[in-house]
Amino acid sequence: MNRSITIILLCAALPLVGCDSTRAPSFQLSEQSEGLSSFAREKVQGELNAGFGSPADLVVWSELEVDFGQYSGNVKKVSTKAGMLRIGEQSDDDETATDDKEPVYDGLAAVSGLASARRLSELQGAAVVISRAQPKSAAEAESDDGEESAAVTQTPQVYRVASYDVAKQELHVVDADGDPAQMDVSAGDSVQILGSALQHGRNLYLRHCMHCHGVSGDGAGPTAQYFKVKPRDYRHGIIKFTSTKASVLKPSNKDIFRIIKLGVPGTYMPSFMLLPDDEVKLITEYVRWLAMRGEMERKLNAWLVTSYSQEAVDEADSASELQADFDTEWSEDAGDNIERFGNDLKLDWQDADKPESVVNPTVPRTPSSSESIVRGRKIFLSKEAKCASCHGETARGNGPSTEAFNDLPGKPPGTKSDKPGLFDNWGNIVKPRNLTTGVFRGGRRPIDIYRRIHSGIKGTPMQAFGTTLKEEQIWDVVNYVLSIPFEEKQGGH
Amino acid sequence: MNKFWPIFFMFWPILAIVSFVIAPSMNWWFPGPAMSPLGQQIDNLFYLILVIVAVTFVGTHVAMGYALWRGVDNKGQKAWFSHGSHNLEILWSIAPAGVLMFISLYQLDVWMEFRVKSHFPEGTTPVAEVTARQFEWRIRYPAPGKKLMTTPQADDLYSVNDLHVPYGRPVSIRLRSMDVQHAFFIPELRVKQDAVPGTVIPVWFEASKPGEYDLACAELCGWGHYKMRGRILAENETGFERYMETLQAEQNFDGVTQPEHSGAQIAEYGIEDSQ
């Protein structure tokens, strides 16, 4: 009797416990960082927190090549009520008119562009940066010096958006502790709202993508474990199907946009065709940002892992001496290195969006004919292209390389796999595409196949043939590849 | 207090009837009026059955309420014991059987037209092959001016989650599934058909008006079931032809030759690389 009462009481208490919803989502360190010594790991974690924050508290690091979302304007009028800004379209003409209509302001700022932002409800949590206006005389005096005058402002005040009332156009602002902000503002101060796009992107990402790609973009979300083809781990900064040249490391914005819109046929990545374009763009920015966070971690790792791994600590004569060395090196080099890493990231990602980084053939596609297809097949089997060594002579993705011990990509040359097969940069076995099925993961347009051949598939053993093959030759291979699914079945195949 | 139980038992059927009466105005009803001729017929069948059921429901409850109410006061009177009445047994066996027989025969035409291929309306054109897969609708159209073949052709056109059809005439799709069971459901057209792996099921429908119709999966097909949202875009003949030509230009794009029609589809993707 007592036992059943206990069970009933325990069951009744279950709703109180809930499903552990109190645990805040957090970005996980990669497995690599787990190999670092505890003191180095702490610094890496600290650096990532400073540059990127946590999922609930994103950081706008303006060095990065990301559209964080920004609205700016000036304070129009000051009020006494704490933590509230009234905003609207900035217009010099109607300033007096607005004053007449609403003599009592709860808040104070007119932020241009904000009222036209598409989803103001998504502003919550975005940073509000208020910078003091310069005294007029000073500004005028310095205006001759051009841009320098902008640098001589006071430290800006940073708050967060608590909520936004679209109807009343009221922006409620809180400080770091979540209390209504006591702002020190006066008319003319500039107001910026930062990070709204990143936050909106995060919200969409958590809704649509996180369950496979994971909170940190590590491709290990809760549903990922059921998949044979693993979701992309963005943290390497590599996306397989890009329109960019082989020498360009990153995908362009459009590449990611297209993958989200159309999905990747033959994998578990579904199409998000019906999501509005602007939402897909926000997700694209967030995915790029997650990739940059992962890359930053990898760069820090690559710098520290040789000297300060856990292994090194275990082998060291004196752990405290090693830690002292680390502290010295960190205090001397960390600033420069992090700046350099950030700059590298910026340049790499900027590169990918330049028009000249995109593979665009200059010769139009050779019309598909049996001659072109035969030429393509010859190249496919040739020693120069060696397509058949992976894809197989019948293009079923069963070439001899799939049974060999190959070099691991992304590792120093000569690093062999311990299992036979072809590996990608993420350490998974990849099968060369079976070209007879008519399913093309990176798209089925001739230009898609052309780019696959021209710049390879990044992060995989699929090489770039843009330099070894002429444009006409690539088109012949494209024609051959597109014809394979419709080949007459021959005896012996 | 004596009347409490009759009132209690009568309250629920009255609530049921009231909620049915106000349902359409509260938007608790169909997802809009049927947008296809067949959908209208299906709705008519639904209403016919609803009327039959409503008459039965109201009739039995009024009778039961009357009996309860009267029974409160006539404690002395003895009830009529009807158990074993042969006539009554025959009556309430044959009457419902007759009603059911009527319904099953009456709906046969609509059923045949909807489900049996030889009874599809004349001139039904196959427009596309729709393959459900976890968790999207992959669509294969024939090239403009060609017929939809049962096997993929080199010049077929592909799309995903976005099925364009001409409106005002019956069209059909070949419904397939690549993995598990799904269901092709267009609520506004009252079309619902399971997609079964290993089988090709022809489904026809006709949108009477141009516009966008939701396409949903109506068979729990896995954790991403909710993601299987698609749309049917019913257009006029020119719009449909232009879409097919745009899709063709998009799909044959080689990065050099400019597509003849730089229409909605390409702009919508926002993906064209060369300006």
Side-chain angles (χ1 to χ4, degrees), chain A residues 363 366 375 379 450 470-477:
Chain A
V363 183
T366 321
R375 285 198 301 271
I379 298 166
Y450 182 96
K470 291 199 203 84
E471 289 196 18
E472 290 86 350
Q473 289 179 305
I474 300 184
W475 280 128
D476 287 338
V477 180

Side-chain angles (χ1 to χ4, degrees), chain A residues 93-173:
Chain A
D93 303 333
D94 64 10
E95 197 169 337
T96 46
T98 340
D99 283 358
D100 288 343
K101 270 185 219 154
E102 297 178 67
V104 183
Y105 268 81
D106 291 334
L108 68 175
V111 183
S112 62
L114 180 57
S116 57
R118 212 178 57 84
R119 285 197 189 208
L120 294 165
S121 55
E122 302 288 348
L123 291 175
Q124 191 185 349
V128 180
V129 182
I130 301 173
S131 335
R132 298 264 48 184
Q134 304 220 7
K136 247 199 176 141
S137 53
E140 274 164 19
E142 281 174 76
S143 61
D144 294 345
D145 305 341
E147 303 213 328
E148 273 178 48
S149 61
V152 202
T153 45
Q154 272 182 296
T155 322
Q157 309 166 54
V158 180
Y159 306 105
R160 293 213 168 254
V161 177
S163 66
Y164 179 68
D165 187 325
V166 182
K168 292 186 187 163
Q169 293 202 330
E170 277 173 2
L171 188 68
H172 294 253
V173 179

Side-chain angles (χ1 to χ4, degrees), chain A residues 23-62:
Chain A
R23 199 176 57 185
S26 62
F27 291 135
Q28 303 290 317
L29 284 183
S30 69
E31 308 76 43
Q32 273 188 316
S33 300
E34 298 299 329
L36 287 178
S37 61
S38 56
F39 48 84
R41 198 165 59 225
E42 208 172 283
K43 289 285 187 194
V44 170
Q45 178 79 68
E47 210 42 61
L48 291 172
N49 284 347
F52 299 87
S54 70
D57 191 14
L58 306 174
V59 171
V60 173
W61 184 13
S62 54

Side-chain angles (χ1 to χ4, degrees), chain B residues 26 31 46 66 92 98 105 112 150 164 169 204 227 258:
Chain B
M26 299 292 284
F46 175 84
Y66 169 75
W92 63 52
L105 293 177
M112 298 270 277
T150 50
H164 288 234
R169 64 183 169 97
W204 79 272
K227 274 182 197 275
Q258 280 306 301

Side-chain angles (χ1 to χ4, degrees), chain A residues 103 112 163-164 166 189 196 218 246 255 259 262 277 300 303 331 336 353 396 451 463:
Chain A
S112 62
S163 66
Y164 179 68
V166 182
D189 288 358
S196 52
D218 52 6
D255 292 335
I259 290 172
L262 299 180
D277 284 0
L300 287 167
W303 167 36
S331 60
D336 287 350
D353 266 324
R396 287 176 183 273
R451 284 172 180 155
Q463 294 169 23

